[in-house]
Amino acid sequence: MAHVPRVTHVGGPTTLVEVDGWRLLTDPTFDPPGARYRFGWGISSVKLAGPAVAAADLPPIDAVLLTHDHHGDNLDAAGRALLAEVPTVLTTVAGARRLGSATGLAPWSEVVLEADGKPPLRVTATPCRHGPPLSRPVVGEVTGFALHATTGVTWITGDTVLYPALREVATRLTIDTTVLHLGAVQFPLTGPLRYTMTGADAVELLSLVRPRAVVPVHYEGWAHFHEGRAAVEKALASAPADVRDLFHWLTPGEPTEV
């Protein structure tokens, strides 16, 4: 059993996180590239890159951690088909109602996963706001997840901007590894408004949270991601070294201990 989390970046927000013998898949997106996905209110985007690992090539999955079900860049058709094969799906309260076969978690609520041969895994839902103030009725509910393993806490931030409730994570949890959703999402229809964190936001958040390691995701593979790796690294260039050195840029499809 690994003494640190092992993370495989599949693409976009999709990762396979392995802790304490548990295999947890985040935001399953396995459709091929090229299609346009509509997110509502006249907003859409094109998928530019396919997954680095096919759904059929995944090992058995113990649970899906679904930050939200209603955007195609976090749950697509192939991802929905996969949900039926997984014993446990954790998501938002609204998402659980829509899916009908998932457990919904409100911010700061918890559930304990149990299975033969594995230590219990406590999961805490963490707050997200997927856009500017007052945008929740439009963009819908999103959640993050903190996994309390024997080797430390792994935090999947989910699609969120930097706002006070997210900063609260630093005061309520001691984070070991952060799977950080970036991308500075923007759409032509809504101009300069952003729907996920920028590199500068990441620097501020990580200066508060102080994890041991950071795995950036949700920054490539879609047309609505406006900050890729180069832009994030530009923001990191002026950050303190103890923040800059946290980042582990994974090779998609390659399991990596972090």
Side-chain angles (χ1 to χ4, degrees):
M1 187 179 297
H3 295 291
V4 294
R6 184 164 67 171
V7 182
T8 306
H9 187 195
V10 174
T14 309
T15 62
L16 175 62
V17 179
E18 299 175 81
V19 290
D20 280 357
W22 291 88
R23 294 190 182 106
L24 305 125
L25 186 69
T26 72
D27 290 351
T29 55
F30 291 94
D31 286 357
R36 178 173 292 275
Y37 294 74
R38 303 195 180 280
F39 303 146
W41 298 83
I43 290 172
S44 66
S45 184
V46 175
K47 186 172 186 178
L48 304 175
V53 180
D57 295 332
L58 291 171
I61 301 299
D62 296 301
V64 165
L65 307 177
L66 180 59
T67 67
H68 55 305
D69 68 300
H70 53 283
H71 291 160
D73 60 328
N74 295 83
L75 182 67
D76 58 19
R80 285 181 185 274
L82 183 144
L83 295 185
E85 304 171 12
V86 176
T88 301
V89 178
L90 304 181
T91 190
T92 63
V93 173
R97 287 197 297 264
R98 286 187 291 264
L99 293 170
S101 58
T103 299
L105 298 176
W108 297 117
S109 64
E110 295 187 337
V111 66
V112 177
L113 303 181
E114 296 182 294
D116 291 342
K118 301 179 178 70
L121 182 65
R122 180 162 58 97
V123 182
T124 303
T126 59
C128 290
R129 194 184 75 201
H130 197 1
L134 306 179
S135 64
R136 199 181 306 274
V138 176
V139 299
E141 290 183 25
V142 180
T143 188
F145 299 97
L147 313 176
H148 301 261
T150 60
T151 53
V153 177
T154 297
W155 179 33
I156 296 99
T157 66
D159 289 6
T160 183
V161 296
L162 182 60
Y163 74 118
L166 195 68
R167 294 184 180 94
E168 189 181 347
V169 172
T171 64
R172 296 184 62 151
L173 298 175
T174 300
I175 305 298
D176 185 65
T177 303
T178 300
V179 178
L180 186 67
H181 289 220
L182 294 171
V185 164
Q186 290 178 282
F187 300 96
L189 186 66
T190 53
L193 297 179
R194 292 194 180 95
Y195 296 87
T196 59
M197 283 187 283
T198 65
D201 294 333
V203 171
E204 181 180 342
L205 178 64
L206 297 171
S207 296
L208 299 172
V209 174
R210 296 291 179 179
R212 178 188 56 79
V214 174
V215 175
V217 300
H218 196 270
Y219 62 87
E220 45 66 52
W222 286 83
H224 61 302
F225 295 173
H226 281 252
E227 279 194 2
R229 177 173 175 173
V232 175
E233 289 186 323
K234 183 176 181 180
L236 290 173
S238 58
D242 60 346
V243 171
R244 185 170 61 246
D245 294 345
L246 298 174
F247 275 66
H248 296 252
W249 298 91
L250 304 191
T251 300
E254 185 174 303
T256 305
E257 292 187 359
V258 293

